[in-house]
Amino acid sequence: MNRAQKILRHIDKDGYGVEIGPSHNPIASKKNRYKVHIIDHMSREQLIKKYKNHGVNLDKIEEVDFVWKGESYTELTGKAKYYDWVIASHVIEHVPDLISFLNDCDAILKDDGVLSLAIPDKRYCFDHYRPISSISKVIDSHLQKRTNHTPGTVADYYLNVVHRSGKIAWDVHAEGKYGFMHASENILQKMNSVIHENAYFDLHAWCFVPHSFRLIIYDLFCLGFIPFKEVDFFRTDGCEFYITLGKKGQFPSKSRLEMLETIESELKNSKSIKQQLSTPIFRGLDVARKLKRAAISYLRD
C-alpha cells in the first residue's frame, strides 16, 4: 500500500470529513470529489503567498473552509458529532495540548467516525536527537490547559533539531553527517519571548517512535483522558508511520510491557542498522543480502 492508501484506508469517500492543515498537499482533496471541509491556519490566498517561492504546486492548495485561530473545532465549524472522518497529516506533533487535540477531533466526529493520522518517526527526521515524549508531559500539558509551547520545549527544539546532509527527513537507508539547524545564541531570546510575550513558535512539541505513540494512546484511553482506541496501524515507511483511531477501535495486540520492549528495540535497532550500513562490508558484492538481513531483524522487532 502506498502512503495515500494507508491514510485513506478507513475513509468513507461518500461520507463527510475534515482535513486539518493540508497546506499545499491535501490527501482527500475536493478536486478528487471528497466531501471535505479544510481547516488551516491561513486562507488559500495567504497559503499561496506563503509557498510562492517554495517550489510546490500552488494549484493543489484548495479553498480553506475554516481558518483556525485557536478555538475548538466544534466552535470553529459549528458542527458537533457531524463528520465521518478527520485526517491530520503531520499535525499532532505540533499541538501544545495533545489530549485536547484528540478530544476536539472526537467532538466533531460521529461515534463511528475515525481519525487518520500520519506522524513523523523521530528517528528519521530533524527530531532525531530529541528524546521521545513521555506520558507525564502529555498529561501535565493538558491539566495546565496549555495553548502555547513551554520555554523548555522551545529550548529543546532549537538546541537539538538537526539535518542530515541537508535533509530534514530521510529513511532507514540514509547516510550522511548530521548538523544542527539553528544557532544557539538566538535560543535564549526565543525563550524570553515566550516567557514575557507569550510568543508562539511553530515547532514539534512531541517526538515519537511508532510504539511510543501507540502506548501513549493506550494509556490515555485507560486513564480516561480520550475515547479512542486503534482502528489500524502501519509501521514506519520512509520518515513517518500511520495510525487510525476511533471509538470502535481495539487495543494493540501487544501488552504494555511488550510495547515498552518494542520501543527500546525501535530506538536500538535504528542505530544498529545505521552502523551496519556504514561498515565496509556493505560496499562489497553482498550489499543486498546484508541490507535484507538488517531490515528483517528491524521489522521483526
Side-chain angles (χ1 to χ4, degrees):
M1 298 176 73
N2 62 31
R3 180 180 194 267
Q5 289 171 329
K6 293 172 183 175
I7 296 171
L8 296 171
R9 186 176 184 187
H10 298 278
I11 301 302
D12 179 7
K13 196 170 184 178
D14 294 325
Y16 291 92
V18 167
E19 186 165 359
I20 301 172
S23 190
H24 59 81
N25 191 29
I27 297 163
S29 67
K30 298 174 183 179
K31 290 180 181 178
N32 288 330
R33 299 184 178 180
Y34 283 89
K35 300 173 183 176
V36 60
H37 285 154
I38 292 175
I39 295 175
D40 219 314
H41 70 296
M42 292 181 176
S43 68
R44 182 175 188 271
E45 291 73 22
Q46 291 170 322
L47 289 169
I48 289 173
K49 184 177 180 180
K50 175 181 178 179
Y51 290 106
K52 185 176 181 179
N53 299 316
H54 284 66
V56 301
N57 185 356
L58 299 177
D59 290 336
K60 293 180 69 175
I61 299 176
E62 298 196 315
E63 196 64 39
V64 175
D65 298 282
F66 304 106
V67 177
W68 182 71
K69 299 296 183 183
E71 63 270 69
S72 72
Y73 295 148
T74 303
E75 182 182 359
L76 178 65
T77 63
K79 300 180 185 300
K81 296 299 177 184
Y82 176 82
Y83 294 102
D84 298 286
W85 48 268
V86 172
I87 293 173
S89 173
H90 290 239
V91 171
I92 195 169
E93 67 275 11
H94 290 264
V95 301
D97 181 351
L98 188 149
I99 293 173
S100 287
F101 169 77
L102 293 171
N103 287 330
D104 259 4
C105 291
D106 171 60
I108 60 173
L109 280 170
K110 296 177 182 177
D111 285 341
D112 59 352
V114 295
L115 170 60
S116 181
L117 301 170
I119 303 172
D121 185 326
K122 79 106 183 174
R123 296 171 295 176
Y124 308 119
C125 73
F126 51 74
D127 291 319
H128 181 78
Y129 286 115
R130 299 177 67 200
I132 58 173
S133 298
S134 68
I135 189 72
S136 63
K137 183 181 175 183
V138 172
I139 294 172
D140 289 346
S141 294
H142 178 63
L143 296 179
Q144 293 165 4
K145 302 184 185 301
R146 297 221 59 90
T147 58
N148 199 358
H149 304 302
T150 66
T153 299
V154 171
D156 175 50
Y157 177 85
Y158 285 105
L159 281 169
N160 295 319
V161 292
V162 294
H163 62 81
R164 189 169 195 182
S165 296
K167 296 180 179 179
I168 63 171
W170 50 88
D171 63 22
V172 69
H173 303 300
E175 296 181 326
K177 293 183 178 180
Y178 297 101
F180 289 118
M181 292 176 61
H182 299 283
S184 59
E185 58 265 23
N186 298 323
I187 296 171
L188 184 59
Q189 179 182 348
K190 292 180 184 295
M191 291 175 61
N192 282 329
S193 66
V194 175
I195 295 169
H196 301 298
E197 303 166 22
N198 198 35
Y200 181 86
F201 295 96
D202 185 23
L203 49 77
H204 285 192
W206 313 102
C207 300
F208 309 107
V209 293
H211 281 79
S212 74
F213 185 80
R214 296 182 84 185
L215 182 58
I216 283 174
I217 294 300
Y218 174 90
D219 286 342
L220 290 178
F221 177 88
C222 292
L223 292 171
F225 283 105
I226 63 172
F228 291 138
K229 296 181 187 177
E230 281 188 25
V231 174
D232 211 346
F233 165 76
F234 293 97
R235 66 176 64 250
T236 299
D237 183 6
C239 68
E240 61 186 358
F241 59 94
Y242 314 90
I243 187 165
T244 301
L245 305 174
K247 284 186 173 179
K248 296 190 175 181
Q250 298 179 342
F251 287 132
S253 59
K254 297 176 182 287
S255 68
R256 284 198 79 258
L257 184 57
E258 288 172 329
M259 282 193 279
L260 286 168
E261 291 169 344
T262 303
I263 293 167
E264 190 173 54
S265 295
E266 286 172 335
L267 293 169
K268 179 176 67 177
N269 283 343
S270 68
K271 296 176 183 178
S272 175
I273 289 175
K274 284 186 293 184
Q275 290 167 354
Q276 293 179 58
L277 287 169
S278 66
T279 59
I281 194 170
F282 277 90
R283 303 187 186 103
L285 296 176
D286 58 347
V287 169
R289 178 170 59 85
K290 294 294 184 181
L291 277 172
K292 183 176 180 181
R293 182 180 300 171
I296 289 173
S297 174
Y298 166 68
L299 292 172
R300 281 176 178 167
D301 288 319

